[in-house]
Amino acid sequence: MNLMKKITVGFLSGVLLLTGYSALGGQEMTNLPVGGALAVQSLKPYWHVFIAYAIVLVAVLGWVISMGRRLSALETRLGDSAEHQ
Amino acid sequence: MSVSGLRKGGVTLTALGLIGLVVIYWLSFFWVSTEIRQGIVQRIFYVHVPAAWTTGLAFGIAALTSAMYLWLRDERLDRAAVSAAEGGMVFGAIMLTTGPLWGKIAWGTYWTWEPRLTLTLLLWFIFLGYFMVRSATDNPEKGKRFAAVVAIVGALDIPFIHLSVIWFRSLHPAPVVIKPEGPSLPGDMLTLLLASFAVFTVLFFGLFLLRYALETVRVELDARAREVAA
Amino acid sequence: MSYLRQVQAIVWKDLLLEFRTKERLVAMGAFAVLSAVLFNYAVDRTAVRPQDIAAGLIWMTIVFGGLLGVGRTFHLEAQDGAFEGILMSPAPKDAVFLGKTLANFILLYVVSLLVVAVFMLFFGLELGASPAVLALVLCLGVLGFVSLGTLFAAVSSGTRMGETLLPILVFPLLVPMVIFGTGATGRLLASRPVAEVVGDIRMLGAFAVMALAAGALLFRFVVED
């Protein structure tokens, strides 16, 4: 759910940034050799940013979950050995 | 420190780190200005560069505690080494996947033999060996010593790898590369990057404490099992 | 017995063992020749000039063939507790390591010269203008490789996975050796001036010294019980 929310936020922010770009474009485009370069690559960079940010969350949460599973396995073992005695 | 204390500290730091990460994401979408030349994709740097720093920190701690373990033979040092090494694997994987995502847009290709990229890849595999050695020994004490040797030799080899991959590149120039660094990073970008550094560091230490606590429980349980068996 | 005598004794013992059985030498030599044969068919020689890729192929053959032999450093002695006997002898552990490494070095150096000779013969390569420098490059590269190889052969033969683990442990560490080694070899084979490879040779030397010192320092932790 957290991830869904984040993707929504990210998407909305993407739209916002795009409009911001076109507003600023008039001044900044003069620095670029090709005026339409940013418009052409449009959405692809957003996807890359979203995927990268998602990877961070997945990796960190994945590690937490893996530690949790290992801990619960240990606790089962602890329970077994307690029964044993 | 007791296991419950470690776990409490770990949970607190991890929660802080995760909240910080959400704040960083929010800031990077809504607050920070967009870099002119690279555009949106430059935002990957706010996770990529701190992940790289954390990877280096983690593997550094792992190598240092490994060396100290061989010297002092304190179990806690080995636990710290294995916890840090695992963190290095996780954050190294983050760095190795987010880097190419940026590179595809900025360089036009997912992978180049860029020195830092190559170095991280090799480091990651050195520590893969670290974990394989650990798990492939029947005697845990032996596994700890072997793994420590792997970490130390890896750390000693790093300067050579670093020099050689730079050397290699100077012979075979890579395709046009937009240099990511530039000391004159605009104010808000620098602020966000530094904040992200802090968040990743806190997150790493939180997870590190959790992993350390887990290792402590595991070692104690193993010791108890051996007592029962004896 | 002085330190050098102890090292010498181990080198001599290992070489004597090798000359009696000839197991590893034959295996590595045959590997080198057969790889060259396979390379001949794997590489389209009408599209790629052999001299352009010879340096890389030579070094990869040395690395793979070397692992084959170095990985078995401790196999023979693992039987009947022979290695425990060596460890219990008054010779310090680093002397044991240096002896083993030197014996491996002599074997692999002979093999690497054979590899170069085989490539000359099969691919019609010229030896370049300064064969003595080429021999030095091979010597330093092989020394670094053998030092790491011997240390990690001791590690991997103490694990369940055995030699399967060796390449995973050693390959990431070998990148500097491969880069400097092939860089220097390629330019020497092309008869470039020696001044161009001095930097590579220096780095290969530093790498060999680091590997040898690391092995001598850490070997005791691998074999202790």
Side-chain angles (χ1 to χ4, degrees):
Chain A
M1 197 211 80
N2 202 14
L3 194 66
M4 278 308 290
K5 209 185 269 176
K6 213 138 290 163
I7 289 172
T8 326
V9 168
F11 182 71
L12 286 177
S13 63
V15 174
L16 271 173
L17 277 170
L18 258 188
T19 47
Y21 242 121
S22 46
L24 287 170
Q27 306 139 33
E28 286 172 4
M29 288 300 172
T30 51
N31 294 334
L32 294 168
V34 188
L38 282 172
V40 172
Q41 60 173 14
S42 62
L43 273 174
K44 208 170 156 204
Y46 288 93
W47 276 112
H48 282 236
V49 176
F50 296 153
I51 295 169
Y53 281 21
I55 283 172
V56 178
L57 280 178
V58 169
V60 169
L61 294 180
W63 194 24
V64 172
I65 290 168
S66 117
M67 282 194 281
R69 287 177 57 155
R70 277 181 277 177
L71 189 66
S72 67
L74 284 179
E75 269 161 3
T76 330
R77 254 179 69 193
L78 193 66
D80 286 352
S81 69
E83 269 173 40
H84 218 68
Q85 288 165 348
Chain B
M1 225 192 309
S2 68
V3 172
S4 68
L6 282 171
R7 209 179 290 171
K8 219 174 279 171
V11 168
T12 315
L13 283 181
T14 307
L16 270 178
L18 283 175
I19 292 167
L21 194 63
V22 173
V23 173
I24 294 288
Y25 281 9
W26 193 85
L27 287 176
S28 89
F29 281 131
F30 294 112
W31 176 69
V32 77
S33 46
T34 302
E35 219 261 345
I36 294 177
R37 267 184 314 163
Q38 293 179 32
I40 308 300
V41 77
Q42 184 263 342
R43 279 172 165 67
I44 290 182
F45 270 42
Y46 301 123
V47 294
H48 176 74
V49 181
W53 143 254
T54 317
T55 310
L57 178 73
F59 285 147
I61 292 176
L64 207 64
T65 44
S66 291
M68 284 165 69
Y69 171 72
L70 283 187
W71 182 32
L72 300 170
R73 296 303 164 96
D74 190 325
E75 282 300 311
R76 285 171 298 182
L77 288 168
D78 174 70
R79 275 177 237 162
V82 75
S83 308
E86 210 172 287
M89 295 297 278
V90 171
F91 283 96
I94 290 175
M95 187 208 170
L96 285 171
T97 45
T98 55
L101 279 171
W102 173 82
K104 180 63 184 165
I105 306 280
W107 293 341
T109 168
Y110 282 111
W111 188 265
T112 63
W113 293 100
E114 203 267 336
R116 276 166 298 182
L117 210 56
T118 314
L119 184 68
T120 318
L121 183 73
L122 292 172
L123 251 180
W124 200 86
F125 274 103
I126 288 171
F127 276 92
L128 180 70
Y130 176 94
F131 284 103
M132 290 184 80
V133 162
R134 263 185 104 89
S135 62
T137 42
D138 298 319
N139 174 356
E141 296 309 313
K142 207 168 161 189
K144 287 171 191 172
R145 274 187 282 120
F146 283 5
V149 168
V150 172
I152 294 166
V153 178
L156 289 175
D157 206 49
I158 289 303
F160 288 91
I161 297 179
H162 186 66
L163 276 177
S164 68
V165 290
I166 288 175
W167 196 293
F168 182 76
R169 218 164 84 90
S170 71
L171 290 174
H172 306 253
V176 189
V177 168
I178 302 168
K179 274 279 170 192
E181 67 258 347
S184 53
L185 206 60
D188 59 339
M189 295 187 197
L190 189 64
T191 311
L192 185 57
L193 192 61
L194 290 179
S196 191
F197 267 93
V199 165
F200 269 72
T201 310
V202 169
L203 194 58
F204 166 70
F205 278 111
L207 292 162
F208 171 81
L209 286 183
L210 289 178
R211 181 66 181 82
Y212 186 93
L214 174 68
E215 190 68 15
T216 310
V217 173
R218 203 183 60 74
V219 167
E220 276 171 14
L221 209 58
D222 278 350
R224 205 177 301 177
R226 241 173 290 143
E227 257 171 50
V228 171
Chain C
M1 235 186 342
S2 78
Y3 191 79
L4 279 179
R5 289 275 305 154
Q6 291 169 330
V7 173
Q8 201 189 344
I10 289 163
V11 174
W12 182 241
K13 176 200 74 69
D14 271 21
L15 288 181
L16 192 66
L17 215 60
E18 187 52 46
F19 287 127
R20 294 248 170 94
T21 61
K22 297 187 189 63
E23 269 176 7
R24 293 195 285 155
L25 201 59
V26 171
M28 287 196 284
F31 179 89
V33 176
L34 291 172
S35 318
V37 172
L38 286 187
F39 279 141
N40 178 53
Y41 293 109
V43 178
D44 182 359
R45 280 171 64 181
T46 55
V48 192
R49 290 192 318 146
Q51 44 270 58
D52 292 338
I53 50 167
L57 295 185
I58 286 173
W59 277 96
M60 290 327 285
T61 310
I62 293 174
V63 167
F64 290 133
L67 275 189
L68 204 67
V70 171
R72 294 191 69 85
T73 310
F74 299 95
H75 269 248
L76 209 55
E77 285 165 345
Q79 296 162 12
D80 304 328
F83 195 57
E84 276 74 24
I86 294 176
L87 291 178
M88 269 189 271
S89 75
K93 305 280 188 289
D94 41 282
V96 175
F97 173 78
L98 289 177
K100 289 256 161 216
T101 305
L102 275 179
N104 274 339
F105 167 73
I106 292 166
L107 281 182
L108 192 57
Y109 192 51
V110 170
V111 170
S112 74
L113 294 179
L114 175 74
V115 170
V116 174
V118 165
F119 273 79
M120 301 291 113
L121 182 70
F122 281 8
F123 292 95
L125 295 173
E126 303 282 316
L127 208 48
S130 33
V133 183
L134 184 61
L136 176 67
V137 167
L138 284 173
C139 166
L140 291 173
V142 168
L143 184 60
F145 169 74
V146 154
S147 311
L148 290 178
T150 308
L151 177 67
F152 285 111
V155 169
S156 62
S157 61
T159 66
R160 251 177 288 126
M161 290 178 70
E163 277 146 276
T164 323
L165 200 53
L166 190 56
I168 300 168
L169 296 177
V170 175
F171 278 1
L173 304 170
L174 287 186
V175 168
M177 186 206 82
V178 169
I179 289 179
F180 296 124
T182 51
T185 308
R187 268 168 285 162
L188 287 172
L189 287 178
S191 294
R192 310 282 302 172
V194 175
E196 276 186 25
V197 298
V198 169
D200 291 287
I201 292 176
R202 225 175 259 159
M203 290 308 295
L204 278 177
F207 182 75
V209 169
M210 181 278 291
L212 204 58
L217 279 174
L218 294 170
F219 186 68
R220 73 195 66 185
F221 299 113
V222 176
V223 294
E224 83 179 33
D225 263 310

